[in-house]
Amino acid sequence: MATKLYPPLKPYKSELLPVSDLHKISVKQFGNAQGQPVLFVHGGPGGGCDARDAQRFDPAQYRAILVDQRGSGDSLPHAELTDNTTWHLVDDFEKVREHLGIEKWHVFGGSWGSTLSLAYAQKHPECVRSLTLRGIFTLRRAELDYFYNGPGTNFIFPEYWDEYIAVIPEAERGDMIAAYYKRLTSDDAAVRAEAGRAWSRWEMATSRLHVNKDYLDRADDAEFADAFARIEAHYFVNAGFFERDGYLLERAQIDRIRHIPCVIVQGAYDMVCPPKTAWDLHKAWPEAKYIVVPAAGHSAMEEGTERALIEAADEFAKLP
């Protein structure tokens, strides 16, 4: 069983799949074209995929499918919010599955990717062979407040919090998400760029147990920061487009997926998506295997978390 990333590889097929009159989504396939299909669901919203994400899957066993969600990564149009909701993305995955002629696939997602993986599996349980979920996020208001409004992560990273709130006038700080959303959708390019960098830098700073300068510097990539911050704020100000707070954890929703083999991987010191949400999911779904990585924060790239994810993928490759 592998305990580190598989070697780098290039996609054997890349395409832009039209999913509406407006949106085309990037679909890249890696590994064995005859292998077990696995859908990689990236985070954010707005994060996009990286070829490194395919290295968690044994290329001899898996056909890894990396999809950039609407407005993200290589999908077009870039950072577009029109017709960009959770349920549009869920429907897009179904269009990808049907386009590729796949009957059932494994689904693997972390952070917002765990949110979207749960939403997809609950709507289409018959299409999912397994779920691997990391850094659980269900977009409840309390989760958003903990990270974006405080008190919460600001008590752990006060210097980066001060950078994050500096962009917003004191009178608007009662709802930081709404205040940022106003700026991230501004017609003023300079206002939008300043807000995009500050929002992204806050998340990059807090995503690992030890602050990583290279990761922090991603916020200086204006194109990435614009899509990442703008799409995140769009989803968060709209409560994820869910019918009710806590929708994904409701008994009726969990019962739809209870039979699916699942591994939950959670960093013990995750400051972006704190362990309480993963624990709440495990309590609602005790059949799922629950792994807490002791010396890890939120990022999938921390050593213990990476190892647990690769081991989960290797185990699911053995399913009949």
Side-chain angles (χ1 to χ4, degrees), residues 3-316:
T3 57
K4 61 181 181 179
L5 291 173
Y6 288 94
L9 65 166
K10 294 182 179 179
Y12 68 81
K13 186 173 183 180
S14 301
E15 59 185 314
L16 276 174
L17 179 67
V19 289
S20 76
D21 291 340
L22 176 62
H23 289 278
K24 295 179 181 178
I25 59 172
S26 170
V27 180
K28 297 184 177 73
Q29 298 184 68
F30 297 77
N32 180 359
Q34 307 306 315
Q36 294 195 42
V38 56
L39 171 67
F40 177 82
V41 185
H42 70 68
C49 296
D50 186 280
R52 185 182 189 279
D53 297 319
Q55 293 178 240
R56 299 188 180 97
F57 308 104
D58 182 349
Q61 299 291 326
Y62 276 110
R63 174 189 184 186
I65 300 152
L66 276 56
V67 177
D68 287 337
Q69 296 153 30
R70 295 188 181 201
S72 306
D74 292 331
S75 294
L76 299 173
H78 182 74
E80 179 59 57
L81 303 183
T82 303
D83 294 334
N84 194 339
T85 74
T86 300
W87 303 111
H88 283 106
L89 304 186
V90 165
D91 288 346
D92 288 350
F93 291 154
E94 269 301 274
K95 290 172 183 173
V96 171
R97 186 185 66 80
E98 292 168 358
H99 172 69
L100 298 180
I102 293 168
E103 182 181 356
K104 296 181 73 169
W105 50 6
H106 302 276
V107 177
F108 183 113
S111 191
W112 160 253
S114 75
T115 319
L116 195 52
S117 295
L118 284 167
Y120 173 79
Q122 289 172 4
K123 188 169 182 181
H124 300 284
E126 71 285 354
C127 301
V128 180
R129 297 191 68 190
S130 75
L131 279 167
T132 303
L133 307 173
R134 188 266 313 162
I136 308 304
F137 178 46
T138 62
L139 232 146
R140 293 177 294 183
R141 186 69 207 186
E143 297 170 43
L144 294 172
D145 283 343
Y146 183 91
F147 188 68
Y148 291 104
N149 286 326
T153 305
N154 58 325
F155 276 47
I156 311 299
F157 293 93
E159 67 276 37
Y160 293 106
W161 176 260
D162 282 352
E163 287 184 18
Y164 166 71
I165 64 172
V167 173
I168 307 300
E170 195 165 345
E172 294 182 58
R173 292 177 187 171
D175 188 340
M176 292 291 290
I177 295 173
Y180 261 99
Y181 180 71
K182 182 170 73 173
R183 287 157 180 80
L184 290 165
T185 54
S186 171
D187 292 331
D188 186 324
V191 169
R192 189 165 150 178
E194 180 187 38
R197 181 183 183 276
W199 174 287
S200 301
R201 188 174 165 85
W202 169 238
E203 187 159 335
M204 300 302 113
T206 54
S207 285
R208 299 195 184 194
L209 192 61
H210 303 287
V211 177
N212 180 288
K213 184 181 183 302
D214 290 340
Y215 204 53
L216 197 59
D217 287 347
R218 291 188 75 195
D220 293 327
D221 179 339
E223 186 175 7
F224 166 80
D226 182 55
F228 183 72
R230 178 174 158 86
I231 296 173
E232 279 200 337
H234 165 70
Y235 273 77
F236 299 164
V237 82
N238 286 291
F241 301 93
F242 292 116
E243 295 177 35
R244 296 172 296 279
D245 196 55
Y247 175 84
L248 293 173
L249 294 172
E250 292 175 359
R251 174 66 180 267
Q253 302 308 318
I254 296 296
D255 282 348
R256 292 178 57 79
I257 60 174
R258 199 174 295 280
H259 64 285
I260 298 173
C262 177
V263 173
I264 299 166
V265 177
Q266 178 68 41
Y269 297 99
D270 188 336
M271 292 294 116
V272 180
C273 299
K276 184 182 187 310
T277 304
W279 180 242
D280 288 346
L281 176 61
H282 182 53
K283 286 193 296 182
W285 191 6
E287 297 87 352
K289 184 176 181 180
Y290 181 62
I291 298 171
V292 175
V293 183
H298 182 64
S299 174
M301 291 182 280
E302 292 173 295
E303 184 179 355
T305 302
E306 197 87 87
R307 183 186 307 115
L309 292 171
I310 294 166
E311 289 175 353
D314 284 351
E315 281 297 317
F316 283 144

